[in-house]
Amino acid sequence: MELELSVDRSSPVPLYFQLSQQLEAAIEHGALTPGSLLGNEIELAARLGLSRPTVRQAIQSLVDKGLLVRRRGVGTQVVHSQVKRPLELSSLYDDLESAGQRPATKVIVNTVVPASAEVAAALGVAEDSDVHRIERLRLAHGEPMAYLCNFLPPALIDVDTAQLEATGLYRLMRAAGITLHSARQTIGARAATAAEAERLAEEEGAPLLTMQRVTFDDTGRAVEYGTHTYRPTRYSFEFQLLVRP
Amino acid sequence: MELELSVDRSSPVPLYFQLSQQLEAAIEHGALTPGSLLGNEIELAARLGLSRPTVRQAIQSLVDKGLLVRRRGVGTQVVHSQVKRPLELSSLYDDLESAGQRPATKVIVNTVVPASAEVAAALGVAEDSDVHRIERLRLAHGEPMAYLCNFLPPALIDVDTAQLEATGLYRLMRAAGITLHSARQTIGARAATAAEAERLAEEEGAPLLTMQRVTFDDTGRAVEYGTHTYRPTRYSFEFQLLVRP
DNA sequence: GTAGTTCGATTGTCCGGACATTTGCATTGA
DNA sequence: TCAATGCAAATGTCCGGACAATCGAACTAC
C-alpha cells in the first residue's frame, strides 16, 4: 500500500497530532482498509524521522477514538466496522445542522427568575437566587421537534434572544470563553401533558422522549441545567460507545 | 495534606497503573479534595522514585476519566463536581445488580431462527442464515422492568437458558473469550402495542422507552443485536459525558 | 499426524533528559 | 494608580534507549 506520510517540523502543530490526523484521514478516506496492519512502530518512526514515543502517542490517540486496535505481538489494526464517532457533548443545534436538517429556533421565554429548589440543586446556587430561564422551540424543516427549557447561573453570559435564535446555546457558551468539561444526562420517556402536546403538535398522552442535563465546565462549576422534551417520531438519541480497556 | 503514595516494583502490575489507582482512590475517598492541586509532576516523580513519563501516564489516565484537569503553567487539579463515571458499555443486569436492585431474568424464547433482513443487516450475516434469538423479561424486585430481544451470530457462544437466567449476556460473552470493543446505540420512545403492554404490565398506548444496540468485538465483528423496551416509570438511562479535548 | 517447544516479531513499560509554551505573579515603568 | 515587562513554575512535546510480555508461526519430537 505504501501510505505516504510526512510531518512538518517547522509547523507549530505537534508532530504526534500531525501524524494522527494523517492516519485518521487515511482511514476515513479508505487508504487504510479495515483489518489491515499499520506496520510496526519502530519502522514507522524511522520512516518519518520521529521517535517511537511520538509515533505511539499518535497511534494511542486513535486507539482512544476507537479507530485502531493494538495487539501485542501482532501489530496495530484498523478496526473494521461502521464505527463513526464516540458520543460527544454536542448540542442539538449542531447535530441537526451537520445532518443537513436546517434547524430553526423560536425563543419562547428569555427572562430571569428565582431558582426553584430543583434548579438550585442542579446548578449549585442558593434557592431563590436569580437564574436565567430560557425556553425554546426547536424546529427542523418547519416542524416542531423539541421543546428546550434551560437554566443558567447569573452573570455567566449575555443571553441575547437574537443570538439564541441563530445558533445553539453551547456555541454561545464556548464563544464566551467557557470550556465545557462534562455533563450528566438522564434520558427517559413519559406521556405528554396537554400543554406539552400543544407546544409540540402532538396529542395529549402521546409518548415523549425526555432528557435532563447538567453541564459542568472544567472548574467543576455547573453552567447549564436543561430539561428537554423531544417528539419520538422525529428524534432519537443515537451514539457510539467505547469499552474502556 | 501529604498524601501517602507508594509503588511496589516487584508487582507485575504496571507502575503507572498502581499510581493512578492510588490517586483515584484518594479522590474517591476524599483525601484529595476537589479543586486542590496535585503537586508538580517532577516532584511527585522524585518522591516516588519514578520517572516523569510514568507519572504523567498515571495522571493522563485519570484526566481521560474526567477526574483531573491539567492546566499548563498552573498544575493538575482535582475536578470538583458530582462526576461519577463516564458511560460504559454496560449490561442492564450489572447496572441493576450494582444498584442493589436484585435483578431477575425470565427467558421467554431461546431458539435458532433464520435472520430477517433487519437482523442480517445489523449483524452482517446473510439473510435467512441461522441466528440465535433470545427474548428475556428482566425484573427488579419482582416487577417487570424491561423486555429484551437479542440476536446473536451462530456458533459464537453456547446460549444456555439456565446461565442466561443467572447472569447477563455480556458477562457470558466475556467469559467465552470475546473482547467487547464498541456499540452503536439508539434510544427512543413510542407507544406500547397490546402485546408489549401485556408483557410489561402496562396499558396499551402507554409510553415505552426503547433502545436498539449493535455490539462489536475488537475485530469489528458484530456479536450482538438487541431491541429492548423499558418501562419509563421504572427505568431511565443516566450517564456521564466527557468533552474530548 | 499431532502435540509441544522454540523463536522472531511486535507492542507494553520504563527511564532520564532536553527544550518549548503557557500561566500567574511580582516587578518595573509611565 | 495602572499598564507593560520580566521571571519563575508548571505542563506540553520530543528524543533515544532498554528490557519485558505476549502472540503467532515455524519447527521438532513423539
Side-chain angles (χ1 to χ4, degrees), chain A residues 5-243:
Chain A
L5 298 167
S6 62
V7 292
D8 175 12
R9 299 197 88 96
S10 67
S11 164
V13 177
L15 300 179
Y16 78 90
F17 192 74
Q18 291 183 37
L19 177 54
S20 73
Q21 278 202 321
Q22 287 181 43
L23 290 174
E24 186 171 359
I27 293 170
E28 197 95 13
H29 179 265
L32 279 174
T33 58
S36 64
L37 273 305
L38 198 58
N40 76 61
E41 299 168 350
I42 315 271
E43 193 271 340
L44 193 56
R47 207 169 85 200
L48 287 165
L50 298 173
S51 71
R52 190 173 159 223
T54 303
V55 172
R56 277 182 67 80
Q57 194 174 1
I59 292 176
Q60 187 59 46
S61 72
L62 297 182
V63 170
D64 291 339
K65 284 191 186 177
L67 270 53
L68 298 177
V69 176
R70 314 179 94 139
R71 292 168 182 282
R72 199 181 223 166
V74 179
T76 305
Q77 287 180 308
V78 179
V79 163
H80 55 331
S81 72
Q82 40 279 62
V83 174
K84 281 291 171 290
R85 192 89 12 157
L87 183 55
E88 288 180 28
L89 187 49
S90 59
S91 78
L92 175 59
Y93 189 91
D94 294 345
D95 289 348
L96 292 175
E97 194 174 51
S98 62
Q101 295 258 13
R102 299 236 303 259
T105 308
K106 198 170 149 191
V107 175
I108 312 287
V109 175
N110 181 2
T111 180
V112 174
V113 299
S116 69
E118 172 199 355
V119 171
L123 291 180
V125 300
E127 204 170 329
D128 292 326
S129 65
D130 283 350
V131 292
H132 284 287
R133 178 195 183 106
I134 302 168
E135 290 186 34
R136 293 168 294 166
L137 185 66
R138 181 64 47 87
L139 308 108
H141 296 303
E143 278 279 321
M145 165 165 281
Y147 195 83
L148 318 172
C149 178
N150 289 90
F151 297 90
L152 308 187
L156 193 67
I157 60 171
D158 270 345
V159 275
D160 178 66
T161 298
Q163 283 185 313
L164 275 176
E165 302 211 329
T167 182
L169 184 56
Y170 278 9
R171 215 179 284 179
L172 283 184
M173 294 209 281
R174 271 190 259 259
I178 299 170
T179 60
L180 271 24
H181 177 260
S182 63
R184 182 146 200 88
Q185 283 195 180
T186 303
I187 296 177
R190 67 159 192 271
T193 66
E196 287 171 334
E198 167 73 23
R199 291 192 292 235
L200 290 172
E202 288 274 352
E203 302 278 314
E204 183 174 351
L208 291 184
L209 195 56
T210 66
M211 192 260 275
Q212 287 176 282
R213 174 159 65 184
V214 187
T215 310
F216 303 93
D217 73 357
D218 57 2
T219 69
R221 194 179 41 159
V223 293
E224 177 240 353
Y225 170 58
T227 305
H228 302 177
T229 56
Y230 303 84
R231 296 176 76 181
T233 54
R234 302 271 167 175
Y235 188 78
S236 58
F237 294 94
E238 188 173 343
F239 47 86
Q240 187 88 19
L241 292 186
L242 289 181
V243 174

Side-chain angles (χ1 to χ4, degrees), chain B residues 29-55:
Chain B
H29 178 267
L32 278 174
T33 59
S36 65
L37 274 304
L38 196 58
N40 75 59
E41 300 168 349
I42 315 268
E43 194 271 341
L44 193 57
R47 207 169 84 199
L48 287 164
L50 297 172
S51 70
R52 181 153 89 113
T54 303
V55 172

Side-chain angles (χ1 to χ4, degrees), chain B residues 35-196:
Chain B
S36 65
L37 274 304
L38 196 58
N40 75 59
E41 300 168 349
I42 315 268
E43 194 271 341
L44 193 57
R47 207 169 84 199
L48 287 164
L50 297 172
S51 70
R52 181 153 89 113
T54 303
V55 172
R56 276 182 67 80
Q57 195 173 0
I59 292 176
Q60 188 58 46
S61 71
L62 297 181
V63 171
D64 290 339
K65 284 190 187 179
L67 271 55
L68 298 177
V69 175
R70 315 179 94 137
R71 291 169 185 279
R72 200 183 210 149
V74 179
T76 304
Q77 285 180 311
V78 180
V79 163
H80 55 331
S81 73
Q82 41 279 63
V83 173
K84 280 292 171 289
R85 190 91 10 159
L87 182 54
E88 287 181 28
L89 187 48
S90 59
S91 78
L92 177 58
Y93 189 91
D94 293 345
D95 287 348
L96 291 174
E97 194 174 52
S98 63
Q101 294 260 11
R102 297 236 302 260
T105 308
K106 196 169 150 194
V107 175
I108 312 287
V109 174
N110 182 1
T111 180
V112 174
V113 298
S116 69
E118 173 199 355
V119 172
L123 291 180
V125 301
E127 204 170 329
D128 293 326
S129 66
D130 284 351
V131 293
H132 284 287
R133 179 195 183 106
I134 302 167
E135 290 186 34
R136 294 167 294 167
L137 186 66
R138 182 62 50 85
L139 308 109
H141 296 302
E143 278 279 322
M145 166 164 282
Y147 193 83
L148 317 173
C149 178
N150 288 91
F151 297 91
L152 307 186
L156 192 68
I157 62 170
D158 271 345
V159 276
D160 180 65
T161 298
Q163 283 185 312
L164 275 177
E165 301 213 327
T167 181
L169 185 56
Y170 277 10
R171 215 179 283 180
L172 283 183
M173 295 209 281
R174 272 189 260 258
I178 298 170
T179 61
L180 269 26
H181 176 261
S182 63
R184 181 144 200 89
Q185 283 195 180
T186 302
I187 297 177
R190 66 157 192 271
T193 65
E196 287 171 335

